[in-house]
Amino acid sequence: MGAMRRTVWGILAALLLVLVSGCSFATKDPDYVPPAPLPPLEQLQQVPVSEQTTLAAGEDVTAFVTGDRNIVCAMTSSRGGHLNLPYEANSYSDAANNKFAVVPVVHCELAAYAKAELDDMADDCAGTGLGYLGGTALLTPDKAVYGSCRSGVTQMESEFGPKGSRNGPISKLRELADGQNIERNGLRCSAYNGGVACGNVSGGVAFFVSREGYQLVSDGGKTVRGSLKEGF
């Protein structure tokens, strides 16, 4: 009886040894260097497109915020430079704009952001040179720009900036999870690497925006401007 008991205990011990030796424990490699994030156009090409129904902010707009509540984007339309934004007062629906063609666009606002580089300032603000600020990005089918002429804070700054209320229309929008893509009217956006990339993949234009800076991509990725270096 004692011999049988010892045999059983021996088998159990052997099994336990096999189980323990079969387990793996992750240890940090001090020499490991994580791969650089993909350039914006490559990211937009490779990540599968997510369902957009839960992100709809009205019949003609798809809007989302990032997980850290630093970036809000609207995949929407423009008429004569007037944007249809669900969270900011605008004149898009004015009858005077009916004569303009409807253009699909993506517009993003940031709560904390980098300044626009001098070479990327696309507007002199009606000749005054004043009021051109960072914190916004606009993608059309053939161009991506950063910054705009404006006075005061954006709705995103009002809600989630340093003195933001944390309450308002943007706070009620759904989140686009990190690594997800979404597409509307031929334009695509992806939340990744602490920011958002949006682009017209077939047209070879895109932007990437984050707290740290921005990139403007054109010519199928051959031309990259902005405060972030390539391979950021």
Side-chain angles (χ1 to χ4, degrees):
M1 189 67 167
M4 185 180 292
R5 189 178 292 115
R6 284 195 297 274
T7 301
V8 172
W9 282 113
I11 293 172
L12 289 173
L15 287 172
L16 182 62
L17 180 62
V18 170
L19 289 171
V20 171
S21 61
C23 292
S24 61
F25 298 90
T27 57
K28 189 172 182 181
D29 182 354
D31 298 320
Y32 173 73
V33 178
L38 292 173
L41 280 174
E42 288 187 34
Q43 170 73 12
L44 294 168
Q45 288 171 335
Q46 294 191 21
V47 179
V49 176
S50 306
E51 291 292 333
Q52 67 174 3
T53 51
T54 59
L55 298 171
E59 192 173 307
D60 301 318
V61 182
T62 297
F64 62 85
V65 293
T66 53
D68 63 358
R69 300 301 188 270
N70 188 58
I71 305 172
V72 63
C73 296
M75 308 183 80
T76 182
S77 55
S78 169
R79 290 195 302 189
H82 301 278
L83 303 176
N84 183 17
L85 298 178
Y87 40 77
E88 216 160 54
N90 59 81
S91 55
Y92 176 85
S93 299
D94 288 0
N97 297 325
N98 291 341
K99 61 186 177 184
F100 297 112
V102 176
V103 179
V105 299
V106 180
H107 181 265
C108 296
E109 295 180 0
L110 291 86
Y113 53 86
K115 293 180 179 179
E117 298 283 294
L118 215 54
D119 292 343
D120 295 326
M121 292 188 177
D123 200 322
D124 65 358
C125 299
T128 66
L130 303 174
Y132 194 95
L133 300 174
T136 66
L138 179 67
L139 172 74
T140 65
D142 58 1
K143 187 167 63 173
V145 296
Y146 177 79
S148 63
C149 283
R150 59 184 174 87
S151 59
V153 299
T154 63
Q155 182 63 33
M156 190 61 183
E157 289 174 276
S158 173
E159 289 190 38
F160 292 99
K163 298 180 180 179
S165 65
R166 303 298 189 271
N167 184 38
I170 292 176
S171 68
K172 297 174 176 60
L173 294 176
R174 299 292 295 272
E175 175 186 326
L176 184 66
D178 194 64
Q180 283 189 322
N181 272 358
I182 187 166
E183 185 171 333
R184 182 186 177 97
N185 293 331
L187 305 180
R188 184 178 289 193
C189 289
S190 181
Y192 84 115
N193 195 36
V196 170
C198 295
N200 175 6
V201 175
S202 62
V205 297
F207 67 70
F208 175 84
V209 288
S210 69
R211 293 175 185 269
E212 287 73 32
Y214 68 96
Q215 283 187 344
L216 302 175
V217 182
S218 57
D219 301 323
K222 296 175 185 176
T223 303
V224 180
R225 307 192 319 272
S227 58
L228 288 175
K229 304 298 182 186
E230 291 188 60
F232 58 95

